Amino acid sequence: MGFKLTVNSARRATRTLWLLMLVSLSVCICVCRASSPEDDSAMENIVTEKKAEESHRQDSADLLIFIMLLTLTILTIWLFKHRRFRFLHETGLAMIYGLLVGVVLRYGIHVPRDISNVTLSCNVNASPATLLVNVSGKFYEYTLKGEINANEVDDVQDNEMLRKVTFDPEVFFNILLPPIIFHAGYSLKRRHFFRNMGSILAYAFLGTVISCFIIGLLMYGCVMLMKQVGQLNGDFFFTDCLFFGAIVSATDPVTVLAIFNELQVDVDLYALLFGESVLNDAVAVVLSSSIVAYQPQGDNSHTFEVMAMLKSFGMFLGVFSGSFALGVATGVVTALVTKFTKLRDFQLLETALFFLMSWSTFLLAEACGFTGVVAVLFCGITQAHYTFNNLSPESQDRTKQLFELLNFLAENFIFSYMGLTLFTFQNHVFNPMFIVGAFLAVFLGRAANIYPLSFLLNLGRRNKIRSNFQHMMMFAGLRGAMTFALSIRDTATYARQMMFSTTLLVVFFTVWICGGGTTQMLSCLHIRVGVDSDQDNSVSMSIAEGSERRSTKQESAWLFRIWYNFDHNYLKPILTHSGPPLTATLPTCCGPLARCLTSPQAYENECQLKDDDSDLILTDGDISLTYGDITVSTDATGAHTSGGPAGALAGGATSEDLDRELTYGDHELVMRGTRLVLPMDDSEPPFTDPHHRLRM
């Protein structure tokens, strides 16, 4: 009996223990279930923070790669300049370093695969830009990064690393291109540019259009041949061929021009190449936009239609003229602000305003539907012509050096990135037939631009474009930053991917082969180097002064003569502190208006008698400036007077004034019997003319 009681008691205790364990387990499960969202959320936050930190470190490492590339490029450039190596320019060197780093990133570094990556399949008609994923009742947002090849699904981490060093194309257009284009306009030597203005406009506008259509037609024939032999794996229309012709028609002979400047090649040849490259970049951008906007009516958007073509042509004219007007307007506003305010007393604020107004021109044009490249180019030209004269000497030096530095860094960054992209870009399409056809089309398109137009231009030029100059211009048609930026902006389709890959090879070839062979080509074509033609002119000026002026007079376009008179007599006095006083150029009835438009400090500082890029600092003594029969005098106290007939200059500046500014462009200061020569820039000679002489 006692044994049974003991067994029953043990059984009851065991049951009670099991019940307690079950209850405890249930409570634990409930507690765990109740607390799991908070724990999961905490874990997710920790994981998210770790991923954000890793992403931050990766981004810093990617930027460090480009900084080291630029640093290495600068050191190697110094070595090349020290050793006088001219067979490779700094841009070609930057591309080589970019290629080497791209090879290392593509084939030398592999990121371990993340086991948390999940691949699921679903059938949709298009790739959504944003994807919402429901995971256990929680919605997560994912953005589209690009297409991945089916064979590279297991290498997602490597693709992500390569994608990290592939920048958004808008970075090039909004950050890197503006300082390059602005510097081209801001550093333009107007004297040589206007001397060859007609030829430059012909090459830049008509020549670029000819090159675009020649390349487009040849590439369309190549594409048709590829389709016949089964080498084409996607759609490639005639509009795509024209777009390719437009983007590769943008020349960037930065390598050749750098060598020209170092060797002091003929200034007219330099002006023709530089002026063409500056303007045809703008033309190529607007032309490519017009081709993309070509949209005929009907289902087939790639058929030829006259109305659609006329609309595209109208868009070309409207966008170019609107961008031109916007850029000039921004430059004029900046000139007025710097003239009619005391901002020049605060050099830092003056430089900051100049920089922001110039850069905002690009963004404003893009936001308004125009082309920022055209706007910022003509803004730079306007700033150099007007605003520069209103800046303080410190701001003049700062703005020149600032944009020169930004241009150097941005240009070398782009060329380094070109080399890197050859291996890091995920969707290259290299087709041998298309590549060979592209090189042949680019060569023939350049020839169709240079030789026929040079023949026609020589019919009306006194200073002929010699055959060796034409061959050099043909050879110097390098492709560079603008071509690359236009091609990388859209790589969504098969045709655009093939264009981008081929464009990279065209840029590499022209920079390395054509740029590297510039010195040898100059020698083969017997183009004189090492002698500045401006200095030759100054030596022989006393002998051929009259004939030189007559030559300049006959070569200057009549339209430019009208513009020069208007600019010299009205715009410069209004927008700058230089030029004749408005009281002398405007009619007598406009005297109050002339005095109103003259700033209070117009004659208070050294900018009073400064024209264009002249550096003139007035000290003590009485100084007079003569404009024809009008004399403006100032004494040591800063007071100024004007004398002579009021209508002497009202009819406009004489043709001799134009000849002197185009041919020489300098001012001469005669003080106590000592003549001081004040050139506009380092390359321009002095002249002796009583109408532009400052006397004690």
Side-chain angles (χ1 to χ4, degrees):
M1 189 69 181
F3 177 74
K4 288 182 178 180
L5 289 174
T6 303
V7 172
N8 291 333
S9 299
R11 287 178 177 177
R12 290 192 188 99
T14 303
R15 289 175 182 176
T16 303
L17 182 61
W18 276 106
L19 288 174
L20 289 175
M21 291 178 62
L22 289 174
V23 171
S24 301
L25 183 61
S26 300
V27 172
C28 290
I29 291 174
C30 293
V31 171
C32 289
R33 285 183 176 177
S35 61
S36 61
E38 297 180 359
D39 293 341
D40 291 344
S41 178
M43 290 299 296
E44 288 178 2
N45 290 335
I46 294 175
V47 172
T48 302
E49 290 177 0
K50 288 183 177 180
K51 288 185 177 180
E53 185 177 355
E54 292 176 0
S55 177
H56 171 71
R57 290 180 178 177
Q58 182 65 41
D59 293 339
S60 300
D62 295 336
L63 291 176
L64 180 61
I65 290 174
F66 288 101
I67 296 299
M68 295 305 296
L69 276 175
L70 291 176
T71 304
L72 187 60
T73 302
I74 291 173
L75 293 177
T76 313
I77 291 171
W78 169 81
L79 180 62
F80 277 28
K81 289 184 178 296
H82 182 67
R83 299 294 183 181
R84 298 183 182 275
F85 291 153
R86 296 194 181 99
F87 62 87
L88 186 62
H89 189 252
E90 59 200 45
T91 54
L93 189 66
M95 292 167 66
I96 292 177
Y97 286 145
L99 282 171
L100 296 177
V101 174
V103 170
V104 173
L105 291 177
R106 184 63 182 266
Y107 302 108
I109 300 178
H110 295 282
V111 181
R113 183 181 179 185
D114 190 354
I115 60 175
S116 64
N117 289 335
V118 178
T119 303
L120 299 176
S121 300
C122 60
N123 296 323
V124 292
N125 296 327
S127 301
T130 303
L131 187 65
L132 296 178
V133 179
N134 186 351
V135 180
S136 301
K138 291 186 176 182
F139 289 90
Y140 298 90
E141 180 182 1
Y142 294 85
T143 57
L144 179 65
K145 290 187 175 180
E147 183 182 0
I148 297 178
N149 195 307
N151 300 326
E152 299 178 352
V153 174
D154 295 334
D155 300 327
V156 175
Q157 295 300 112
D158 287 342
N159 294 336
E160 179 66 21
M161 180 195 64
L162 297 178
R163 194 178 290 112
K164 282 280 190 180
V165 295
T166 304
F167 289 94
D168 188 340
E170 294 304 315
V171 172
F172 291 96
F173 266 81
N174 295 331
I175 297 178
L176 297 179
L177 272 185
I180 296 176
I181 303 300
F182 182 86
H183 179 263
Y186 195 54
S187 61
L188 184 68
K189 290 186 177 181
R190 295 180 300 280
R191 171 188 164 197
H192 304 303
F193 177 83
F194 287 121
R195 178 189 293 173
N196 300 277
M197 184 175 62
S199 302
I200 291 172
L201 292 178
Y203 287 127
F205 284 87
L206 187 58
T208 303
V209 174
I210 292 174
S211 176
C212 170
F213 279 91
I214 293 294
I215 295 175
L217 290 171
L218 292 175
M219 293 310 301
Y220 187 67
C222 180
V223 168
M224 291 296 101
L225 180 61
M226 292 168 57
K227 187 179 293 185
Q228 292 294 329
V229 298
Q231 292 290 322
L232 197 64
N233 299 325
D235 294 331
F236 212 115
F237 303 101
F238 180 63
T239 52
D240 295 323
C241 296
L242 285 180
F243 179 80
F244 180 73
I247 63 176
V248 297
S249 295
T251 60
D252 185 17
V254 58
T255 304
V256 178
L257 293 176
I259 297 176
F260 278 12
N261 189 48
E262 183 178 354
L263 297 179
Q264 291 186 334
V265 180
D266 186 275
V267 290
D268 287 328
L269 177 59
Y270 183 94
L272 287 173
L273 271 176
F274 182 72
E276 180 207 2
S277 66
V278 167
L279 290 180
N280 88 333
D281 282 352
V283 174
V285 172
V286 182
L287 188 60
S288 61
S289 301
S290 302
I291 293 172
V292 172
Y294 175 80
Q295 188 67 36
Q297 297 179 355
D299 297 334
N300 190 354
S301 60
H302 299 281
T303 58
F304 176 77
E305 187 176 298
V306 177
M307 289 303 299
M309 184 188 69
L310 293 178
K311 288 181 180 179
S312 296
F313 181 71
M315 178 183 176
F316 173 84
L317 296 179
V319 170
F320 193 94
S321 58
S323 304
F324 168 81
L326 186 62
V328 172
T330 307
V332 168
V333 170
T334 310
L336 291 173
V337 171
T338 54
K339 177 182 179 180
F340 290 100
T341 64
K342 293 284 188 178
L343 198 64
R344 69 191 317 274
D345 296 335
F346 307 94
Q347 290 80 19
L348 181 61
L349 299 180
E350 186 181 32
T351 305
L353 178 66
F354 183 92
F355 175 80
L356 294 177
M357 290 291 289
S358 303
W359 201 307
S360 63
T361 305
F362 184 93
L363 301 177
L364 179 61
E366 292 289 336
C368 294
F370 297 118
T371 300
V373 172
V374 179
V376 78
L377 170 64
F378 287 99
C379 176
I381 296 175
T382 307
Q383 301 276 46
H385 192 58
Y386 298 116
T387 312
F388 182 84
N389 296 315
N390 299 335
L391 300 178
S392 61
E394 295 82 0
S395 296
Q396 289 179 351
D397 294 336
R398 285 180 180 177
T399 54
K400 280 186 175 181
Q401 295 171 2
L402 174 63
F403 282 102
E404 185 178 3
L405 174 64
L406 292 177
N407 171 74
F408 173 80
L409 293 177
E411 202 162 55
N412 282 278
F413 183 91
I414 290 179
F415 279 95
S416 299
Y417 186 72
M418 286 184 198
L420 193 72
T421 308
L422 187 63
F423 292 97
T424 59
F425 185 68
Q426 300 293 299
N427 299 311
H428 276 304
V429 178
F430 292 104
N431 189 298
M433 289 188 64
F434 189 85
I435 293 171
V436 173
F439 274 91
L440 181 62
V442 168
F443 177 82
L444 295 178
R446 182 66 179 173
N449 176 0
I450 298 299
Y451 295 115
L453 288 181
S454 299
F455 173 78
L456 295 176
L457 291 171
N458 282 336
L459 297 179
R461 284 178 60 103
R462 289 178 56 87
N463 183 20
K464 306 296 182 184
I465 304 175
R466 301 193 298 270
S467 59
N468 56 350
F469 280 17
Q470 298 177 32
H471 298 329
M472 192 66 226
M473 293 177 66
M474 169 70 191
F475 182 80
L478 280 68
R479 272 64 179 176
M482 182 58 67
T483 299
F484 174 76
L486 289 174
S487 62
I488 199 177
R489 199 171 192 181
D490 182 8
T491 57
T493 63
Y494 170 81
R496 296 299 177 88
Q497 292 168 3
M498 187 183 296
M499 291 183 209
F500 174 66
S501 303
T502 306
T503 299
L504 278 180
L505 299 182
V506 171
V507 174
F508 290 160
F509 179 85
T510 56
V511 171
W512 287 338
I513 304 302
C514 298
T518 300
T519 305
Q520 292 76 11
M521 183 59 65
L522 289 172
S523 177
C524 293
L525 296 176
H526 304 289
I527 296 177
R528 189 176 60 167
V529 299
V531 178
D532 191 345
S533 61
D534 288 342
Q535 294 177 2
D536 290 346
N537 289 338
S538 64
V539 173
S540 61
M541 182 177 51
S542 59
I543 301 175
E545 181 178 352
S547 61
E548 180 71 18
R549 291 185 182 180
R550 287 192 296 271
S551 174
T552 305
K553 176 180 177 180
Q554 295 177 6
E555 290 178 16
S556 301
W558 65 270
L559 183 62
F560 174 66
R561 287 181 169 276
I562 297 175
W563 158 253
Y564 169 80
N565 289 330
F566 180 75
D567 175 65
H568 178 75
N569 293 326
Y570 303 107
L571 292 184
K572 277 194 173 181
I574 293 175
L575 300 178
T576 70
H577 300 304
S578 63
L582 286 175
T583 53
T585 59
L586 288 177
T588 307
C589 60
C590 300
L593 177 62
R595 287 189 293 271
C596 179
L597 292 176
T598 303
S599 61
Q601 69 273 27
Y603 297 95
E604 292 179 359
N605 48 55
E606 66 271 16
C607 286
Q608 169 194 358
L609 302 176
K610 183 175 60 179
D611 192 11
D612 292 334
D613 298 338
S614 306
D615 292 327
L616 176 59
I617 300 178
L618 305 181
T619 54
D620 57 342
D622 297 331
I623 297 175
S624 63
L625 175 63
T626 301
Y627 295 93
D629 296 330
I630 304 300
T631 301
V632 180
S633 302
T634 182
D635 53 21
T637 63
H640 64 277
T641 59
S642 62
L649 287 177
T654 64
S655 59
E656 286 77 9
D657 292 334
L658 170 60
D659 296 336
R660 282 191 296 271
E661 180 160 323
L662 286 179
T663 308
Y664 309 108
D666 301 319
H667 285 295
E668 200 172 84
L669 179 65
V670 178
M671 187 172 297
R672 293 193 176 94
T674 303
R675 188 176 67 182
L676 302 179
V677 178
L678 305 167
M680 285 205 320
D681 53 48
D682 294 339
S683 64
E684 296 182 349
F687 76 99
T688 56
D689 192 295
H691 293 291
H692 281 67
R693 177 171 297 175
L694 304 178
R695 299 181 181 276
M696 281 297 299

